Every structure is written in structure tokens, then in C-alpha cells.
Amino acid sequence: MSEQMNGVLPRGVTQKKFNAAVEKFRALLGEGNVLLKAEQLIPYNKIMMSVENAAHAPSAVLTATTVEQVQGIVKICNQYRIPIWTISTGRNFGYGTAAPVQRGQVILDLKKMNRIIKIDPDMCTALVEPGVTFQQLYDYIEENKLPLMLSFSAPSAIAGPLGNTMDRGVGYTPYGEHFMMQCGMEVVLANGDIYRTGMGGVKGSNTWQIFKWGYGPTLDGMFTQANYGITTKMGFWLMPRPPVFKPFEVIFENEADIVEIVDILRPLRMAQIIPNSVVIANILWEAGSAHLRRRDYTTEPGHTPDPILEKMQKDSGMGAWNLYAALYGTQEQVDVNWKIITDAFRKHGKGRIVTQEEAGHKQPFKYRAELMSGVPNLQEFGLYNWRGGGGSMWFAPVSEARGSECEKQALLAKRILHKYGLDYVAEFIVAPRDMHHVIDVLYDRTSEEETKRADACFNELLDEFEKEGYAVYRVNTRFQERVARSYGPVKRYVEHAIKRALDPNNILAPGRSGIDLDAYATRRRAKGASSGES
């Protein structure tokens, strides 16, 4: 049967055209790789955002296993104007999961394209397909006893390097800026052409995963957080496993200490004394990660009051802020840098330093140490049990790595979250010059009233932070159009000019990062009419 089963159609596509496209998809992929029934689509529509599932419901799901199939899919999509939303593992929790940005888009699921094509232990490079997970990579490295270390985000075991890098995610090792460590992509363009970035277009080249730039414009970044192509292979650099790994924590008792913490850290990060991305997590992030639940402390509605936070600190030994970092290298290197670090913190007289020997297997130290050493785990999902109810939206503004900026952002975020009866669950990820302020807006999605509050809260966070000159570096699919406006009209004009050139039929994930030819044209016409333009 070719009739549509779940009652959802792509925007602007008739049932007749959709059915015709489905028949061609089945001929290309096989009937088992074209999912239409409502029960088949349920796993692809489990969102955590402050909107009904129906707003992001797919019309169908396609699973491809080869690049040639992906080329065939875009050919059919061009013929029938079918919009597709591509996922690799679909584990983008808090940022939209697997659901499409717009209702009715057909999901192209690449999880079956899961080959580890090559790992070179001498050059410390890898080339993988979209469906490869970090757990799969870790197991391969361990089984083959390769002296390599992975870097990944917190949902490590079930996420993958390609999807995380394409969304410009970060990790916790010295290779934690994942896009910087990417080297060479294979991209299927909207017309079906295969484009290889960097040295990938040179016949017989063995430097595709070695030299990022190639010749002429470097276009890799153009395909991240965008909808200009479908990435079917990605290369990246792996860190050589060091002889010594020394994780540590510094526990701070007072919220106000955040200013000094960051100002102590910044010169240590800039000088690479501390080589990895430093995390500074607040007490509620720690509590969730340690699988504590709010109802164990209070059943009162609203945000968790300060006396309870203080009790949690006292009961658990956690700080108001908890800093995690690590040293890597030879014993001599680690010893020298350890002295510099301990001297710096002791000079300021604040913070209790905890080493792995002292922490043992205690959580959340254990999972933080694993993340910093490239061992996958799922411990951080405990955050979702803090309030319960399945609602989670990441709010992630960027700022300078200055203590004053930390304090300003933290106070602003707390004020807005508490206004809506929600908790400030946050961490700062400190690079040498910038900070990612990652806030998990947790709420009970089974409550319509609380979901509305969370939605209003997220909108106000975006608005108020933008007034102060802050914008997020990444956001869930509900708010991508809103965030795109933060970056100004010229950027949007350039993005849509590229879209018109590469994808004139607007078939690749329209709406991704606010890039949608149809919606953009409508807005420009409306703007022209309102200003009297012809």
C-alpha cells in the first residue's frame, strides 16, 4: 500500500505526490526501509521541548545504508519537492532529539551507515560514517589495543562523532573542540553530487584526514549547523593516549566564588597548563548527575530554595560550584603543571582540591573522570530525573572567559528561571578565551501549565540575554528561527543566498538554523509590502 498511514504530509505536498514519492523510495530502499505507520514513527517523535509532539511530527522515515542510496533519495525529493530531515544517531537530547524541525518533513535516518572506515594509530586519525557511535569507536579502540583517546559529549555511549561535530558540540579532553579536530568531509549535495572537503577531491591523496585546508575556500564549516548537504563520511583527529592522566576536582562552597574561579582558570587555560575544557558545575547539576531527586528534599512547587541547596551541599559534600579538569602527559609534565595549579588555587585561599585517589568511585567525580579520559558513560542522564516529567531544553549562551561575565550571566539566568518556578541547573565550560554557559531548563512536560511556563521562560531567556549582547551557540529545533534572528539580517541573507545556489528546491531540512527559502521569501515580501516596496 502506498497511502500515507499517519495523517501527516510535508508542507506544500499533496497526498498524490507523496504517495508517488513513497513508491519510488520503496523501489530504491526496499519496503522495510520506508516507515509510514504511526507506531513506527513514535521513536522519532519523542521530543523534550515545550510544544506538542504534533508540531514536529514526521510524515515518514527513510533508512539508507549507502551513499548511492542517499544520492537516489535526494533525486526523488527534488522531483516531488519532498523535504528531508537527516539524522545520524538521533540522540541530540535537549536540542530536539530525532524529530524534524518542521512538521511533515521526512526523516532520513543514517544510523545503518555505521562503518568505521579507517583508524590510523600512527597518524591518530579516523574516518567514519554517520551511524558510528562513540561506544562503537571506544570498543574498537579497546579491542585492537590502540593507544588512542576519544573526546565526546556527555551522552557519549549512544551519540556519535559525526552528528555531534556537525552540530558543533564539545567534549572534555584537550581535543574537546570537536569541529577544530574534524578533518575532511564527504557531502552529498542537494543535486546528488558528492563533494569532498579539504584534500578529499585530489585523486590518490592520502592526506584527506591529515591536512584540513586543501586549496581555495575552506568550506567545511559551511555544512555545520546548516542544511546545504548530507554528510556521509567525516574524518577527525584522535588524541594519543598519554602515559599519565590526572583528573581532579576543586570544590567551592559559595556561589559568589564563581568570579575568582574563572579568573584563576583563564591564564591556566591560555597557557595550556590545564589543557582540557574545564567544567564548573553548580550544586543542582551535581545533584542531578548523582541521581538525586528534587522530591527527596522538597515537594513544594517552584524553584528549589537556597536553604535546601545548602542542605544538599552539607549532606553530599558537594560545593555551590564544582570544578573538574585533568592533566595529561608524562609524569614529569604532570608534576610540574600540578604544582602550578595547586599553587594558584592555594594562593587565593578558596576551594578544596580533590584528586582521584581521594574521590575513588564516588559520583559525580567518577563519570567526570571517565569523560575526561575518553570512557563513555550515560551518568549525566540523571539530570532528567531531578524534576521528572521528561522536559528538557538546553540554553547555552557564550561569553568571554571572565569571572564578571560568569556572575552576570548566572544572576540573570537565575532571576528568569526562578520567575517561572524553575531551577537554575547549570555548568560553565571554560575554554582559553570563551565560556559556554550550559543551562538545562528542566520541567514537567506532562503538566500543560508547567510546559507553558517553560516555553515562556525560554523565550525570555533568549530575549533578555540578547539585550545584554549574549547569544546561544546551539539551540533546540523549536527555537532555531528565533535564534537565527539574533545574528542579524546580513548573515541571514548570505545563508539564504548559499541555500538558493545549492538547494533551489529547498529539500534539505528547510528551517534548520532558520534557513528556509520559502519562509525567507515570504518574510521579505511582507517586509517589502509594509515598507511600500514594489
Side-chain angles (χ1 to χ4, degrees):
M1 294 176 64
S2 62
E3 70 269 17
Q4 208 211 355
M5 302 295 290
N6 74 327
V8 178
L9 283 172
R11 180 182 67 188
V13 177
T14 65
Q15 186 73 61
K16 183 178 179 180
K17 281 189 175 182
F18 186 82
N19 290 347
V22 166
E23 289 305 312
K24 292 205 171 184
F25 288 139
R26 283 174 168 160
L28 174 68
L29 304 171
E31 188 163 346
N33 290 312
V34 181
L35 311 181
L36 286 170
K37 296 179 181 179
E39 60 268 25
Q40 293 175 312
L41 304 184
I42 288 172
Y44 294 91
N45 196 209
K46 289 184 176 180
I47 61 175
M48 307 176 81
M49 299 177 293
S50 53
V51 67
E52 292 290 334
N53 287 23
H56 294 271
S59 55
V61 173
L62 311 176
T63 55
T65 56
T66 67
V67 175
E68 291 74 21
Q69 286 182 346
V70 175
Q71 290 176 287
I73 288 168
V74 297
K75 181 179 179 180
I76 296 167
C77 289
N78 275 301
Q79 181 180 356
Y80 294 99
R81 300 296 199 269
I82 303 292
I84 51 173
W85 175 261
T86 305
I87 62 172
S88 50
T89 64
R91 305 298 185 178
N92 211 8
F93 294 105
Y95 287 119
T97 55
V101 67
Q102 293 175 1
R103 176 179 168 84
Q105 292 178 343
V106 173
I107 293 175
L108 173 55
D109 184 349
L110 301 182
K111 69 172 175 285
K112 293 181 181 178
M113 294 178 64
N114 60 357
R115 290 185 302 144
I116 299 172
I117 299 167
K118 183 180 181 181
I119 291 184
D120 186 331
D122 297 319
M123 302 308 294
C124 300
T125 63
L127 179 65
V128 301
E129 289 186 327
V132 171
T133 65
F134 285 115
Q135 185 69 56
Q136 183 183 348
L137 272 171
Y138 177 79
D139 291 343
Y140 180 93
I141 288 170
E142 290 297 299
E143 288 165 9
N144 290 278
K145 296 181 172 54
L146 303 180
L148 301 169
M149 179 182 286
L150 293 172
S151 175
F152 36 66
S153 57
S156 47
I158 54 178
L162 191 147
N164 183 263
T165 300
M166 298 308 290
D167 210 30
R168 295 207 292 273
V170 296
Y172 304 97
T173 75
Y175 279 40
E177 194 63 65
H178 293 159
F179 178 60
M180 287 179 65
M181 300 303 160
Q182 174 273 329
C183 192
M185 297 178 187
E186 177 186 88
V187 183
V188 175
L189 301 178
N191 66 357
D193 285 349
I194 294 177
Y195 170 59
R196 289 188 168 187
T197 66
M199 303 299 292
V202 178
K203 188 175 180 179
S205 170
N206 65 356
T207 55
W208 191 22
Q209 274 67 67
I210 302 299
F211 182 60
K212 291 170 69 81
W213 315 118
Y215 173 74
T218 299
L219 303 180
D220 303 61
M222 188 180 81
F223 296 102
T224 66
Q225 292 191 3
N227 51 11
Y228 302 139
I230 298 170
T231 306
T232 49
K233 293 182 182 68
M234 188 190 76
F236 58 101
W237 297 333
L238 294 161
M239 181 176 164
R241 183 169 294 281
V244 176
F245 165 69
K246 186 180 181 69
F248 64 95
E249 178 184 9
V250 188
I251 297 172
F252 295 86
E253 301 300 330
N254 301 311
E255 263 195 295
D257 290 342
I258 192 65
V259 176
E260 291 170 276
I261 297 169
V262 175
D263 289 340
I264 295 168
L265 271 178
R266 186 177 60 252
L268 298 173
R269 288 290 286 117
M270 281 188 177
Q272 293 294 301
I273 302 298
I274 298 177
N276 70 318
S277 299
V278 176
V279 169
I280 309 168
N282 81 343
I283 178 62
L284 285 180
W285 191 294
E286 294 289 88
S289 299
H291 289 211
L292 300 180
R293 296 171 187 251
R294 187 176 186 273
R295 66 172 179 261
D296 296 334
Y297 286 88
T298 180
T299 56
E300 293 296 315
H303 72 273
T304 307
D306 288 345
I308 290 179
L309 301 184
E310 291 164 8
K311 176 174 172 48
M312 289 170 60
Q313 282 184 236
K314 184 178 180 181
D315 291 348
S316 66
M318 300 172 183
W321 294 106
N322 305 270
L323 181 156
Y324 295 95
L327 299 180
Y328 308 75
T330 65
Q331 190 64 60
E332 291 82 0
Q333 289 173 312
V334 168
D335 288 344
V336 169
N337 288 335
W338 182 242
K339 184 177 187 309
I340 295 170
I341 292 163
T342 53
D343 285 350
F345 281 106
R346 284 168 181 156
K347 179 181 177 182
H348 284 264
K350 291 183 179 179
R352 175 165 53 89
I353 299 173
V354 179
T355 63
Q356 189 164 34
E357 292 76 17
E358 295 165 313
H361 294 288
K362 185 178 179 181
Q363 295 287 12
F365 187 100
K366 181 178 182 292
Y367 98 90
R368 289 290 187 183
E370 288 176 342
L371 289 180
M372 293 187 290
S373 64
V375 178
N377 66 76
L378 297 175
Q379 179 72 20
E380 198 162 281
F381 283 122
L383 283 171
Y384 295 148
N385 295 323
W386 169 248
R387 291 187 82 97
S392 169
M393 298 183 290
W394 299 104
F395 179 71
V398 178
S399 76
E400 295 179 321
R402 293 184 192 274
S404 57
E405 290 286 280
C406 247
E407 182 180 49
K408 180 180 176 183
Q409 284 201 2
L411 290 172
L412 179 58
K414 278 184 70 175
R415 177 176 63 77
I416 296 168
L417 285 155
H418 290 180
K419 172 183 172 182
Y420 291 94
L422 301 175
D423 284 323
Y424 175 59
V425 182
E427 67 177 11
F428 290 96
I429 303 176
V430 185
R433 292 170 180 81
D434 70 85
M435 292 186 305
H436 293 174
H437 184 188
V438 182
I439 301 166
D440 197 353
V441 180
L442 296 167
Y443 62 100
D444 183 358
R445 197 165 175 269
T446 65
S447 163
E448 183 178 352
E449 186 274 332
E450 189 158 315
T451 300
K452 287 180 179 178
R453 274 193 281 121
D455 194 71
C457 178
F458 206 94
N459 274 291
E460 188 165 330
L461 285 167
L462 289 168
D463 291 343
E464 294 304 309
F465 271 70
E466 187 175 334
K467 288 176 185 176
E468 299 297 325
Y470 303 122
V472 301
Y473 82 102
R474 198 175 170 195
V475 76
N476 66 71
T477 46
R478 171 157 173 75
F479 293 96
Q480 289 191 354
E481 165 61 30
R482 165 63 186 84
V483 169
R485 296 199 299 267
S486 300
Y487 285 83
V490 175
K491 183 174 184 291
R492 303 205 73 187
Y493 168 78
V494 171
E495 289 166 347
H496 284 85
I498 295 170
K499 184 70 168 173
R500 284 192 296 273
L502 292 182
D503 184 14
N505 292 328
N506 203 33
I507 63 166
L508 301 182
R512 176 78 163 98
S513 295
I515 305 168
D516 181 348
L517 291 182
D518 296 338
Y520 187 66
T522 299
R523 284 193 300 271
R524 287 179 69 83
R525 283 195 297 269
K527 183 179 179 182
S530 65
S531 62
E533 296 176 9
S534 59

